[in-house]
Amino acid sequence: MEKINYPYIPAGREIKFVPLENSFMREAKDFAKKYSLDKTMPNAVVIVKENEIISRGANGSDYHNHHECERVKQNVPSGEGYELCEGCHPKNHGEQQAIRDAVDNKKETTGADVYLWGHWWCCESCWNAMMKAGIRDVYLLEGSEIFFNKNHSDNVVGRQFE
């Protein structure tokens, strides 16, 4: 497999891949379709421990329905400046929503895995939150570095559910 040049990945961590037929990835996709509020890059996370889904989270807020995105106005590159915009803030990312869901429901995340549908990498804030929560591995969809990369000519951005 060709090395993927992620915008961010912590030292000592790696991303693993599963096909869409993986039941946890299918659940993440279905959850994104139903609950993500980000219409451009809908994503969702399921957190799995001992082969059981313990929490779910989808990205987005309705902020962009009523306000301009500061990151877009300032032409901030992908993966940077999330704190500049309430709608883009990391608290609204699927990874952090799923961690909050687990905490709210008193589910232990130490040693659990994340299945993320709809993105091809995790931002620094989300990695930090996942590591603090004791998340073991992060799984993405095989080919996600193409499918969900806005800069790749063969992406499916805007057609994720077709």
Side-chain angles (χ1 to χ4, degrees):
M1 183 171 172
E2 187 177 315
K3 182 177 176 354
I4 299 168
N5 189 17
Y6 296 105
Y8 178 79
I9 192 163
R13 297 302 296 247
E14 67 176 343
I15 292 176
K16 298 182 177 188
F17 297 91
V18 295
L20 187 56
E21 294 77 31
N22 177 283
S23 63
F24 300 128
M25 189 59 68
R26 296 279 316 163
E27 175 65 22
K29 179 182 179 184
D30 292 345
F31 199 80
K33 185 175 184 178
K34 189 170 183 179
Y35 294 105
S36 177
L37 297 176
D38 185 330
K39 300 309 174 201
T40 303
M41 292 300 296
N43 78 59
V45 166
V46 295
I47 298 179
V48 176
K49 187 167 183 177
E50 298 173 1
N51 214 28
E52 179 183 327
I53 295 173
I54 62 169
S55 67
R56 295 167 176 82
N59 68 330
S61 76
D62 65 355
Y63 182 86
H64 293 130
N65 294 342
H66 310 287
H67 306 279
E68 288 183 74
C69 176
E70 281 302 315
R71 294 176 63 240
V72 170
K73 287 185 351 187
Q74 296 180 34
N75 202 27
V76 175
S78 181
E80 297 178 20
Y82 292 124
E83 69 284 349
L84 298 173
C85 176
E86 178 63 25
C88 298
H89 195 281
K91 69 182 178 187
N92 297 319
H93 293 189
E95 299 94 327
Q96 296 195 39
Q97 296 274 10
I99 292 167
R100 251 191 321 281
D101 180 58
V103 170
D104 290 349
N105 290 296
K106 298 180 180 25
K107 300 288 185 172
E108 177 56 54
T109 56
T110 301
D113 297 322
V114 158
Y115 289 78
L116 168 61
W117 187 89
H119 276 322
W120 67 283
W121 63 286
C122 303
C123 72
E124 184 173 0
S125 297
C126 288
W127 271 111
N128 289 340
M130 290 187 293
M131 290 185 300
K132 182 178 179 184
I135 298 297
R136 183 180 58 189
D137 290 317
V138 174
Y139 291 89
L140 298 180
L141 178 65
E142 289 175 342
S144 60
E145 73 280 5
I146 295 168
F147 301 141
F148 306 121
N149 184 343
K150 293 177 192 176
N151 296 321
H152 197 286
S153 60
D154 293 326
N155 74 55
V156 296
V157 175
R159 306 181 321 274
Q160 290 93 324
F161 301 112
E162 292 177 5

